[in-house]
């Protein structure tokens, strides 16, 4: 039997938990942050959350055809247009700013548990460890 030389692990929902409670927390923080951007009219948290969930599901819905993953920048443009409708003049600068804001909040919201960090450190003493993720951020 050959010796294991490396181990490749998925980061999200394998090493760190990122499921509905974390997603809902991210939505709340993003909602609060959007409220501090002067050009954005107030929007309800429920509407924003439903719109984010919709935008994340677009590749699975095939909208727009053909089904593909949108870039984070494209997702933010769709998100702002869907969430605010005709109430907002969406500009590339605005959705770029909002995209960076959401990415920063997303990265800040991912917390590795001490036990998982300890396990990774111990494992890395014996085998090369690689962490990958398909999260767009």
């Amino acid at each position: 039997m050959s010796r294991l030389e490396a181990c490749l692990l998925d980061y999200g929902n394998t090493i760190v938990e990122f499921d509905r409670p974390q997603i809902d927390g991210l939505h709340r923080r993003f909602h609060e942050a959007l409220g501090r951007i002067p050009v954005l009219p107030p929007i309800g948290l429920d509407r924003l959350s439903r719109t984010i969930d919709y935008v994340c599901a677009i590749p699975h819905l095939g909208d727009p055809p053909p089904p593909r993953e949108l870039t984070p920048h494209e997702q933010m443009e769709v998100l702002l247009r869907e969430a605010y409708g005709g109430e907002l003049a969406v500009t590339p600068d605005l959705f770029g700013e909002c995209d960076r804001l959401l990415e920063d909040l997303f990265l800040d919201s991912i917390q590795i548990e001490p036990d998982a960090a300890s396990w990774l450190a111990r494992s890395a003493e014996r085998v090369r460890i690689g962490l990958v993720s398909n999260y767009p951020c």
Side-chain angles (χ1 to χ4, degrees), residues 17 40 44 49 60 72 78-79 116 121 123 132:
E17 182 178 1
L40 294 177
S49 291
H60 308 289
V78 172
L79 171 68
S123 298
V132 296

Side-chain angles (χ1 to χ4, degrees), residues 16-120:
V16 299
E17 182 178 1
F18 198 78
D19 210 347
R20 201 70 233 182
Q22 291 82 7
I23 291 168
D24 289 343
L26 177 62
H27 289 183
R28 281 190 301 279
R29 292 179 66 204
F30 187 52
H31 178 259
E32 292 167 6
L34 290 179
R36 293 189 294 272
I37 297 177
V39 297
L40 294 177
I43 185 173
L45 175 58
D46 288 345
R47 181 175 178 177
L48 179 65
S49 291
R50 282 192 311 273
T51 306
I52 292 172
D53 289 344
Y54 164 75
V55 170
C56 290
I58 286 175
H60 308 289
L61 300 173
D63 181 21
R68 70 171 178 86
E69 285 192 37
L70 301 176
T71 67
H73 203 72
E74 290 171 324
Q75 285 181 333
M76 186 55 63
E77 181 178 5
V78 172
L79 171 68
L80 293 176
R81 290 187 192 286
E82 290 288 326
Y84 290 96
E87 303 168 34
L88 179 67
V90 180
T91 65
D93 287 343
L94 178 60
F95 55 77
E97 177 185 354
C98 292
D99 180 46
R100 283 186 299 280
L101 177 62
L102 182 59
E103 284 189 9
D104 289 346
L105 290 170
F106 176 84
L107 293 173
D108 187 55
S109 70
I110 296 175
Q111 301 294 319
I112 189 166
E113 296 293 326
D115 288 346
S118 177
W119 179 84
L120 283 172

Side-chain angles (χ1 to χ4, degrees), residues 4 6-11 14-15 127-133:
L4 181 67
C7 181
L8 186 62
L9 301 164
D10 180 49
Y11 193 67
T14 302
I15 299 299
V127 65
R128 287 181 286 186
I129 300 291
L131 300 175
V132 296
S133 177

